[in-house]
Amino acid sequence: IERKLLQKMTTHKAHCLILPYPAQGHINPMLQFSKRLQSKSVKITIATTKSFLKTMQELSTLVSIEAISDGYDDGGHEQAGSFVTYITRFKEVGSDTLSHLIETLTTRGCPVNCIIYDPFLPWAVEVAKKYGLACAAFFTQSCAVDNIYYYVHKGVIKLPPTEVDEQVLVPGLLTIEKSDVPTFVSNPESAKILEMLVDQFSNLENVDWVLINSFYELEKEIIDWMSKLYPIKTIGPTIPSIYLDKRLPNDKEYGLSVFKPMTNECLNWLNHQPISSVVYVSFGSYAKLEPDQMEELAWGLRNSNKNFLWVVRSNEESKLPKNYLEELKLASENKGLVVSWCPQLQILEHKSIGCFLTHCGWNSTLEAISLGVPMVAMPQWSDQPTNAKLVEDVWEIGVRAKQDDKGIVRREVIEECIRLVMEEEKGKMIKENAKKWKELARNAVDEGGSSDRNIEEFVSKLMTIS
Ligand code: UDX
């Protein structure tokens, strides 16, 4: 596959420079999309920060990566100290170093035709315009969430929202309550982050395409509504082709991970578990659980009496109850395995998995949809509450574990939700729906499907302008 892609690169007809926001959940969907473009004779160069590159444990072997600077080459975001400081300096230094990269690539005989940027970095539009390049925004979150930030941008949602009234109904969502909006909207303390999110729309009318990592069938009403405002193209789900679309059968590379995936231990363990018996538990690359929440989750999983595979990142491990891991190892039935990271797609695809207890990060949500795994949603922050709302009430492929008035999901609730999905009558309906959405996701990226057509149109337009 690598040789074939490289051969295609040598005959490429357009060159896209990809600018992701330097975070695992942002760079990976753009990488997957890049590989798809590359398989269609588009040359790809990914530009990411020096500091982010240093944290990489796994690099893609399939696309070329160049470093730019965010002004904090030693420690990136952590070095900056505050989010606002980071984003302000990134704009300044990033614009210069991205410009320099475009000039260098031209000198090397590889001129860029189009910048595909994460709208968390809207200054990329000005860089594209300066060089007369085409420009596409790539939203890594759901169209529903983008739509909510758009409403904030337009002042339809007032800040801080004491309550969200009917006028801010998101097309295609049922009723949206305060607990369903992204936390940056509902929490006044996140005002600065929200400013950045709203800024995504500040110059969006100047771009040639708005690409969204979703698929038409999944968010029809919202996409139809947003398409009246912007040149929207849904191109997802962007997961490696081996899991969804067999046209590139060997591409299962997830790539660009800041963690080392633990392959054999997890898969060997799963191979010994009965079909659909295991609860897979993960909160993605970033979310930090309150110690109380960690404790409740630990006992909820044990008490559910189900087998579970739980990803606890090493920086979270100290929050586990005392002796929990030791007792788990000694337990005669060997019910649970705790690992610090795993190859999530391979896990979700495994026949032993019965449900996914997830924070509902958008990538995890799309991956569960694509592989037909029902969910127990335990959103933590950012876009996750809205994704959980969609999972439970719109697509009906999971249940949301409700928090108490202290903001903690108690062990009994966790136990109950797991049972509901894995054992009860309602669980059967959820599983049927999960199968249906898996099929629709597959159709979207398959030849002639909604996302496939959008990608084809995007590529052919690129070819004409290049
Ligand atoms: C963040 C936000 O939290 C999320 O809400 C937003 O939509 C994207 O950016 P993150 O929290 O990391 O991302 O969650 P998610 O979007 O689910 O991405 C996690 C990725 O890591 C997934 O692609 C998942 O497959 C991968 N993963 C996770 C692993 O490969 N192994 C693991 O053990 C856990």
Side-chain angles (χ1 to χ4, degrees):
I1 186 82
E2 193 177 347
R3 203 175 52 243
K4 266 198 205 152
L5 287 176
L6 286 172
Q7 273 167 2
K8 285 201 169 177
M9 274 172 67
T10 55
T11 57
H12 67 261
K13 299 185 187 94
H15 182 187
C16 288
L17 185 58
I18 313 285
L19 179 67
Y21 185 81
Q24 167 115 23
H26 285 251
I27 200 164
N28 266 332
M30 290 181 92
L31 169 70
Q32 301 310 328
F33 181 60
S34 298
K35 287 192 291 185
R36 187 160 273 254
L37 292 183
Q38 198 158 254
S39 73
K40 294 177 188 290
S41 305
V42 177
K43 179 173 167 54
I44 297 293
T45 303
I46 295 186
T48 191
T49 60
K50 287 182 190 155
S51 52
F52 192 62
L53 267 178
K54 277 186 204 158
T55 65
M56 289 291 152
Q57 302 288 316
E58 303 269 319
L59 281 175
S60 171
T61 52
L62 301 177
V63 295
S64 113
I65 301 179
E66 298 281 346
I68 58 165
S69 178
D70 51 14
Y72 298 99
D73 292 347
D74 294 327
H77 190 264
E78 306 254 300
Q79 191 189 351
S82 94
F83 179 73
V84 180
T85 317
Y86 178 71
I87 207 82
T88 313
R89 186 146 171 79
F90 193 1
K91 177 178 178 176
E92 230 172 80
V93 182
S95 299
D96 284 350
T97 52
L98 189 69
S99 301
H100 181 68
L101 176 60
I102 292 169
E103 288 164 21
T104 308
L105 289 167
T106 308
T107 319
R108 281 189 213 153
C110 287
V112 174
N113 309 108
C114 175
I115 295 184
I116 304 180
Y117 74 100
D118 188 317
F120 280 23
L121 308 171
W123 46 262
V125 180
E126 277 77 67
V127 177
K129 297 296 158 201
K130 181 167 89 179
Y131 291 98
L133 306 176
C135 189
F138 185 111
F139 281 84
T140 60
Q141 298 185 338
S142 68
C143 199
V145 165
D146 304 331
N147 186 234
I148 292 172
Y149 293 136
Y150 172 82
Y151 276 139
V152 177
H153 166 67
K154 285 289 169 193
V156 178
I157 295 182
K158 301 275 181 281
L159 293 171
T162 44
E163 60 192 65
V164 178
D165 63 20
E166 281 168 88
Q167 284 172 318
V168 295
L169 254 182
V170 179
L173 276 177
L174 310 173
T175 41
I176 181 142
E177 291 161 25
K178 200 176 166 190
S179 57
D180 304 324
V181 294
T183 56
F184 302 135
V185 176
S186 56
N187 180 359
E189 282 169 27
S190 309
K192 287 290 169 196
I193 298 183
L194 185 61
E195 250 172 52
M196 179 197 80
L197 292 162
V198 169
D199 212 29
Q200 299 183 100
F201 296 91
S202 61
N203 55 7
L204 204 61
E205 63 284 356
N206 298 332
V207 306
D208 301 287
W209 300 276
V210 173
L211 308 173
I212 299 194
N213 186 17
S214 185
F215 58 100
Y216 179 70
E217 293 72 13
L218 194 64
E219 300 192 84
K220 239 181 217 162
E221 290 87 351
I222 305 176
I223 292 163
D224 283 342
W225 191 84
M226 288 283 275
S227 298
K228 292 182 192 142
L229 306 169
Y230 298 110
I232 301 258
K233 283 202 182 299
T234 44
I235 48 75
T238 57
I239 71 170
S241 57
I242 193 163
Y243 298 103
L244 263 196
D245 169 5
K246 306 290 177 193
R247 279 177 293 170
L248 285 173
N250 292 324
D251 176 19
K252 62 175 176 188
E253 178 190 88
Y254 204 74
L256 297 179
S257 174
V258 294
F259 304 94
K260 268 248 176 265
M262 186 182 291
T263 314
N264 293 338
E265 190 188 354
C266 301
L267 293 171
N268 287 344
W269 186 82
L270 288 180
N271 287 340
H272 288 97
Q273 310 305 328
I275 293 180
S276 303
S277 69
V278 177
V279 185
Y280 169 57
V281 188
S282 167
F283 288 79
S285 64
Y286 203 81
K288 296 182 182 79
L289 268 61
E290 291 296 328
D292 281 1
Q293 182 61 83
M294 195 75 155
E295 170 121 17
E296 291 300 314
L297 177 57
W299 296 121
L301 290 172
R302 280 289 300 190
N303 299 347
S304 75
N305 215 23
K306 298 277 177 237
N307 302 324
F308 61 90
L309 170 62
W310 183 8
V311 178
V312 179
R313 295 190 317 272
S314 45
N315 56 352
E316 289 280 281
E317 204 183 298
S318 62
K319 296 178 195 166
L320 283 170
K322 211 162 173 263
N323 298 331
Y324 186 80
L325 291 179
E326 291 73 12
E327 282 170 22
L328 207 56
K329 278 190 192 125
L330 289 177
S332 54
E333 356 64 288
N334 189 20
K335 282 262 177 222
L337 178 67
V338 176
V339 296
S340 60
W341 194 250
C342 72
Q344 180 160 299
L345 283 160
Q346 278 171 272
I347 303 301
L348 289 175
E349 200 190 29
H350 200 279
K351 60 183 185 327
S352 66
I353 298 298
C355 90
F356 182 14
L357 195 158
T358 169
H359 69 317
C360 284
W362 186 236
N363 296 296
S364 294
T365 305
L366 275 182
E367 289 163 11
I369 290 173
S370 304
L371 296 168
V373 183
M375 286 173 256
V376 171
M378 259 183 72
Q380 299 299 304
W381 73 316
S382 182
D383 56 336
Q384 297 153 17
T386 314
N387 301 338
K389 166 81 181 171
L390 293 163
V391 163
E392 184 176 45
D393 289 341
V394 178
W395 307 317
E396 299 181 290
I397 49 176
V399 289
R400 180 168 175 175
K402 302 282 178 303
Q403 296 175 340
D404 66 6
D405 49 13
K406 293 200 175 77
I408 302 286
V409 180
R410 295 292 161 194
R411 61 190 77 181
E412 299 77 19
V413 177
I414 293 169
E415 241 186 281
E416 199 183 298
C417 288
I418 292 175
R419 291 231 173 80
L420 192 152
V421 171
M422 291 181 74
E423 287 170 6
E424 290 175 19
E425 210 44 44
K426 186 166 179 197
K428 283 192 193 144
M429 181 272 285
I430 288 175
K431 280 180 214 143
E432 281 307 310
N433 284 336
K435 265 196 218 153
K436 181 190 91 183
W437 283 110
K438 172 183 173 173
E439 211 42 48
L440 290 169
R442 203 165 282 257
N443 292 345
V445 292
D446 212 345
E447 199 159 2
S450 55
S451 294
D452 185 61
R453 281 199 313 274
N454 282 342
I455 296 172
E456 284 295 338
E457 276 168 32
F458 173 69
V459 170
S460 70
K461 191 78 201 291
L462 256 187
M463 301 300 181
T464 59
I465 59 165
S466 301

